[in-house]
């Protein structure tokens, strides 16, 4: 057994990709009984990207991963693990992580698919970090990718206005002293499982001629109850991650939250006394992209010059399960 790796571990490279096709609030006004005013005031979302017919998740996830590897300064031959977080993989089998390994020319390595819905990227980051820390691997590729449009009921105004498609990826590895991942928190309350579901297609409820057209083949959500959970969960997760990191939460310079609802994010801003420039909000352009939401927000922050070497940031997510998690890191 290799010894525990005790250097700081952080993100070496980041890459994202979204589909070209835009679904705007005006488009949705023609599809369901909703309005741009309702969607913007209740959620902060103005448009989202969705896969075109004939496109597959691979078309977006592979470029995101390729960009992350390039950004890290490594080559595919340096990658020694693939962790693919999604609840909407290309296929149920074979796994998407093995597909990524092959498509990107990564040598034989451990390949893991994780399904933690909107908490996917944070849970995946913790998995990847643990594997490096344990001395199992050096440079894991972590992909967060979801294609909500493929499981969204575009006759259900409660869900169809919220979700979009996208992919983001990072490569982890050793970073200089003073940088990298400082602390984590994660958890779940499986009792809240019925609040967000996709019931048809698993081995417990395989597709049949009877259910193939039922509403249960789409994602269903009790938005109001998830909202209450989320407001509490993100504050709690960030506070606990800061304790694990051994820093006061006031040292967090940038909050990179899951992009589900702007009002949920604003409740955290209020709680922690954060200014507008300290919080990343890009859901106006992408909606809720589930496991891709955090890497897309990291990319937005970096592009805007708000995420620089040495910036202490908190990432936090919550979602189906119910799950929640936060990580404090110094970029
Ligand atoms: O990624 C993690 C998973 N998801 C989430 O984080 C979502 C968390 N929840 C939310 O973001 C919010 O609960 C929603 C955006 C889903 C809903 O906002 P809300 O302020 O909680 O609205 P509501 O469900 O309490 O509904 C208020 C009203 C209802 O009408 P009545 O009963 O008051 O007449 C809804 O039928 O708004 C109606 N409504 C809409 N109206 C126009 C619901 N969806 C729409 C819509 N357009 N798209």
């Amino acid at each position: 057994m290799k010894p525990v790796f005790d250097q700081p571990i952080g993100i070496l490279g980041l890459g994202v990709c979204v589909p070209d096709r835009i679904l705007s609030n005006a488009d949705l006004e023609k599809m369901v009984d909703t309005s741009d005013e309702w969607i913007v005031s209740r959620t902060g979302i103005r448009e989202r990207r969705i896969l075109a017919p004939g496109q597959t998740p691979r078309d977006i996830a592979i470029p995101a991963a390729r960009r992350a590897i390039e950004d890290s300064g490594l080559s595919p031959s340096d990658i020694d693990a693939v962790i693919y977080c999604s609840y909407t993989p290309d296929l149920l089998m074979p796994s998407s992580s093995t597909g990524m390994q092959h498509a990107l020319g990564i040598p034989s390595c451990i390949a893991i698919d994780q399904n933690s819905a909107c908490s996917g990227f944070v849970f995946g980051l913790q998995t990847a970090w643990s594997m490096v820390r344990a001395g199992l691997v050096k440079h894991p590729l972590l992909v967060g990718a979801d294609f909500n449009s493929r499981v969204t009921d575009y006759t259900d105004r409660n869900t169809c206005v919220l979700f979009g498609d996208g992919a983001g990826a990072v490569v982890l590895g050793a970073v200089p002293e003073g940088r990298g991942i400082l602390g984590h928190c994660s958890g779940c309350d499986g009792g809240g499982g019925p609040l967000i579901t996709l019931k048809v297609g698993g081995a417990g409820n395989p597709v049949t001629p009877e259910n193939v057209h039922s509403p249960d083949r789409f994602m269903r959500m009790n938005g109001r109850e998830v909202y209450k959970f989320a407001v509490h969960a993100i504050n709690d997760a960030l506070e606990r991650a800061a304790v694990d990191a051994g820093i006061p939460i006031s040292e967090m310079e940038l909050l990179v939250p899951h992009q589900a609802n702007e009002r949920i994010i604003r409740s955290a801003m209020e709680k922690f006394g954060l200014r507008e420039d300290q919080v990343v909000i890009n859901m106006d352009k992408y909606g809720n992209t589930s496991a891709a939401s955090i890497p897309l927000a990291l990319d937005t922050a970096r592009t805007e010059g708000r995420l620089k070497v040495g910036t202490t940031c908190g990432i936090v997510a919550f979602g189906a399960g119910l799950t929640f998690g936060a990580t404090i890191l110094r970029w």
Side-chain angles (χ1 to χ4, degrees), residues 10-48:
I11 292 175
L12 302 178
L14 165 70
V16 300
C17 186
V18 292
D20 293 333
R21 191 173 173 204
I22 294 175
L23 182 68
S24 68
N25 288 354
D27 295 328
L28 286 160
E29 282 177 349
K30 293 176 203 137
M31 297 159 72
V32 287
D33 179 15
T34 191
S35 65
D36 176 58
E37 192 280 328
W38 190 96
I39 303 170
V40 173
S41 64
R42 296 293 184 121
T43 72
I45 301 167
R46 292 180 188 274
E47 60 186 39
R48 60 297 283 143

Side-chain angles (χ1 to χ4, degrees), residues 86-105:
S86 182
Y87 85 100
T88 51
D90 250 73
L91 302 170
L92 287 180
M93 195 169 68
S95 64
S96 293
S97 49
T98 54
M100 301 290 284
Q101 177 268 338
H102 180 66
L104 295 163

